[in-house]
Amino acid sequence: MDGAFASGTLIALALCALVTLANLASLTLAGRRIGAARPGSAFPAGAPVSLVRPVCGLEAFSEEMLARGFRLDYPAYELIFCVADAGDPILPLLHGLIAAHPGVPARLIVGDERVSDNPKLNNCVRGWEAARHDWVVLADSNVLMPGDYLQRLQAGWRAETGLVCSTPIGACPWGFPAEIECAFLNTLQARWQYAGEALGLGFAQGKSMLWHRPFLEARGGIRALAAEIAEDAAATKLVRAAGRRVHLVAAPFEQPLGRRTLTEVWSRQLRWARLRRVTFPLFFAPEIGTGALLPLGLGAAVVEGAPALLALAAMAALWYGAEYRLAVHAGWHRSPRLVLAFLARDAMLPALWAGAWMQSAIVWRGNAMDIRPKEAGPLRPRVRAA
């Protein structure tokens, strides 16, 4: 019997060590990738760019986020703001910003096109079609754009590139739930995206996307991104089908969070988990092992003896210490409560993972959507707003 217990302890420790090593490897790959110089951009220097920004509603940092787009250090670009609803409260702010920056070509398009069940994609269609230039950036309204925003996207373009994008990095959290969201966005999700890119498995992220318009137009244009419920999943599959790669910027852009409630964090993460499960199920399945609490907690319930428990504690210290070190290395948010945020995040992960498999419905900005794969059918255009 003692031999059986000893064997069970060794197996549990070995499995926990394997999962820990996999996560440490991903942290190492991401740390080497983030912020590293990447010479050899194939982007044509100074090429004019159309910057399309879908906007919906007022948020905590709306004025600062949108004003940043008028202050980019780039010689030739235009701004196109897309608002689906003619009654959106963001419109007065946009009119004011455009009037206050006459030196920057900027337009406002009101009214969307119903090409999919994805409201953000619908809101982008008319902006894409109105863009004057061959290089187009689709950027969410809550992306914090530095002065060299366009140059940093362009630096990631290579001869084999089909798309350059940036994962969001949580910043300016107000309150502990927002710190939990930083723990999800930064050292977990961004880390795995950069590790995947380092291994040749780049995934698109819809926050900031640099497209070469002729490339996408030759494959159906922006409407081709309606092939999946999430436009970034469709973009990933389209680029790979063309034999190209998705690349990430060397240093990702921040998304100021402000105050979050735990319910908001849970709902957002559950929505994203369900989208990943539907669009990339084989990659989503292993996500159950990306948090330390479940595997190491199960290991602690199985092993026998103080030395084994100390070994598991050492694994946890290595795991969370490496996560915190990545945040320091990348210059991301960190605080004395960040390790507690890691623990809270990892406590949520198993329920989020299970919930993603149990249902195929999400709510996004008040829009209820069934995200199960379905046969493509004719879509009727929505009447344009005046």
Side-chain angles (χ1 to χ4, degrees), residues 121-140:
L121 179 62
N122 296 342
N123 196 17
C124 288
V125 171
R126 294 179 64 192
W128 173 276
E129 293 175 346
R132 297 189 178 102
H133 305 307
D134 280 349
W135 294 93
V136 182
V137 173
L138 303 178
D140 282 6

Side-chain angles (χ1 to χ4, degrees), residues 53-66 88-90 93 140-143 174 207 255-258 260 268 364-365:
R53 304 198 75 175
V55 186
C56 180
L58 281 167
E59 299 174 295
F61 299 96
S62 286
E63 184 169 3
E64 174 62 15
M65 296 303 97
L66 298 175
D88 196 303
I90 197 68
L93 173 60
D140 282 6
S141 60
N142 55 9
V143 173
W174 299 346
K207 283 292 177 182
Q255 174 187 334
L257 300 179
R260 292 283 195 271
R268 185 176 295 106
W364 189 79
R365 290 190 179 272

